[in-house]
Amino acid sequence: MKIANRQRTKDILQKHNIKLKKSLGQNFLTDNNILDKIVAEANLSSEDSVIEVGPGIGALTERMSEAAKEVVAVELDNRLIPVLNEIFEEQDNVSIIHGDALEVDFDSLIDGDYKVVANLPYYITTPIIMRFLEESSGAKEIVVMVQKEVGERMVASPGGKDYGILSIAVQYYTEAEIAFGVPSSVFIPRPKVDSAIVSLKVLDYPRAKVEDEDFFFKVVKSAFHQRRKTVRNSLSKAPFLSVPRDIIDQALEEVEIDPRRRAEKISVEKFIELSNAIYRIY
Ligand code: SAM
């Protein structure tokens, strides 16, 4: 059975009397070609365990269950749980979990390492990805559908308008790239935004040693608090840090960052050096 075509998707939804909810980011994939490309991008093999967030009616789940060892799919919408249970009744390697991706303990769902592959609900893309990066230790590779603009911010290099806190947070933990764009015509209903698949390969160790991660992210947030200001001004005025200006000056000098630079021109590595220097002096 192939779930991912327009007529079957409509039939399944109609049979169960389900109207899709915008508030849950429900845009279902109806194109097998795109599913094949996602599975190829994630390089799924019979060795792989996969966590999927938001299986919907299981189009991607079905395709992944043919390629991977096991798929554990976490769905919030209780109306979809009986549908999924029925579709995957005889599929031993698929587990459907009724839960909230913002609360589930992902590592407890699978023994050992896993890949995360999903067509994410766009209203919570960033918190879901950050939960995998910050709170789980099993996620080794994340291949997910996101809003194209969000994907561009994740992979952005210093210097452009897309580069910011999200780029630094994602690139601190992963090697990030946009795999391919996805047209809105392959979804039911069509989203109003463009989409893309991003591939995040989790680094064994973050890019460089950070003395204190909380402090590092406070420095980054402060630096971008008013992105048009110089890094010196942002850091000394932002509400998340209360470090005296002379210490900021000293740290900037130590790591050779021009105090008149703007945060958007400073690389992840340089931010790490800067936060370590402020942390040590302070
Ligand atoms: N995977 C399906 C597909 O590609 O056709 C559906 C993807 S749809 C973009 C997002 C799915 O995430 C929906 O099924 C929605 O109900 C589910 N969802 C929304 N919020 C969620 C949450 N907090 N935790 C788990 N699933 C959620």
Side-chain angles (χ1 to χ4, degrees):
M1 175 185 58
K2 286 268 182 264
I3 299 164
N5 77 52
R6 297 190 85 76
Q7 196 52 50
R8 260 201 77 76
T9 302
K10 284 182 184 159
D11 289 347
I12 294 173
L13 293 173
Q14 202 167 27
K15 177 177 162 204
H16 294 272
N17 203 11
I18 292 174
K19 287 216 172 4
L20 294 184
K21 288 186 183 166
K22 219 172 158 184
S23 61
L24 287 177
Q26 294 181 332
N27 300 93
F28 290 179
L29 268 170
T30 60
D31 186 315
N32 279 293
N33 192 24
I34 298 289
L35 294 180
D36 286 343
K37 283 177 77 175
I38 297 173
V39 169
E41 182 59 38
N43 213 356
L44 290 187
S45 77
S46 56
E47 317 259 282
D48 289 318
S49 297
V50 181
I51 291 186
E52 181 186 7
V53 170
I57 54 168
L60 179 58
T61 325
E62 178 187 47
R63 183 65 193 80
M64 294 200 290
S65 72
E66 296 160 2
K69 182 170 86 179
E70 58 174 329
V71 182
V72 179
V74 181
E75 174 58 59
L76 178 64
D77 188 347
N78 61 340
R79 302 172 306 162
L80 298 172
I81 303 301
V83 183
L84 289 161
N85 283 336
E86 185 183 315
I87 292 175
F88 295 107
E89 199 178 6
E90 286 171 14
Q91 203 94 27
D92 290 345
N93 68 341
V94 175
S95 315
I96 305 297
I97 310 284
H98 182 209
D100 185 341
L102 296 178
E103 282 173 15
V104 170
D105 173 5
F106 292 122
D107 283 352
S108 73
L109 301 178
I110 281 178
D111 274 339
D113 294 346
Y114 53 86
K115 293 179 175 175
V116 179
V117 185
N119 171 15
L120 290 177
Y122 292 172
Y123 73 105
I124 42 173
T125 301
T126 304
I128 291 177
I129 291 179
M130 292 318 293
R131 284 202 72 216
F132 280 110
L133 297 179
E134 289 174 340
E135 294 168 35
S136 80
S137 56
K140 297 296 164 202
E141 194 170 338
I142 301 175
V143 174
V144 282
M145 182 91 71
V146 300
Q147 186 178 336
K148 185 166 161 251
E149 283 73 16
V150 175
E152 280 164 354
R153 279 166 38 214
M154 288 180 189
V155 306
S157 320
K161 66 168 177 34
D162 290 336
Y163 184 71
I165 300 168
L166 182 62
S167 330
I168 293 176
V170 165
Q171 293 169 38
Y172 172 64
Y173 292 105
T174 75
E175 201 62 60
E177 62 170 31
I178 292 191
F180 53 92
V182 177
S184 60
S185 57
V186 302
F187 300 90
I188 287 184
R190 274 177 181 231
K192 291 211 172 67
V193 294
D194 289 330
S195 300
I197 292 288
V198 292
S199 156
L200 312 177
K201 297 209 168 74
V202 178
L203 300 167
D204 285 339
Y205 300 98
R207 266 170 211 282
K209 186 165 169 11
V210 164
E211 302 268 351
D212 180 301
E213 278 187 5
D214 278 350
F215 190 77
F216 168 65
F217 284 110
K218 272 189 195 152
V219 169
V220 173
K221 258 170 81 181
S222 305
F224 282 97
H225 185 56
Q226 283 174 298
R227 48 187 304 146
R228 305 205 59 75
K229 281 197 172 167
T230 65
V231 64
R232 175 176 192 253
N233 278 340
S234 306
L235 286 180
S236 42
K237 297 225 178 81
F240 323 104
L241 270 187
S242 49
V243 178
R245 187 178 276 247
D246 58 323
I247 291 181
I248 305 244
D249 284 344
Q250 207 181 319
L252 286 166
E253 195 182 331
E254 191 178 298
V255 300
E256 296 175 354
I257 294 176
D258 181 339
R260 290 163 305 180
R261 285 207 133 195
R262 288 191 189 153
E264 62 192 29
K265 294 259 165 73
I266 300 173
S267 69
V268 181
E269 288 79 3
K270 268 292 181 209
F271 264 116
I272 294 174
E273 282 181 40
L274 175 61
S275 111
N276 285 346
I278 304 175
Y279 188 78
R280 274 194 309 266
I281 303 168
Y282 190 42

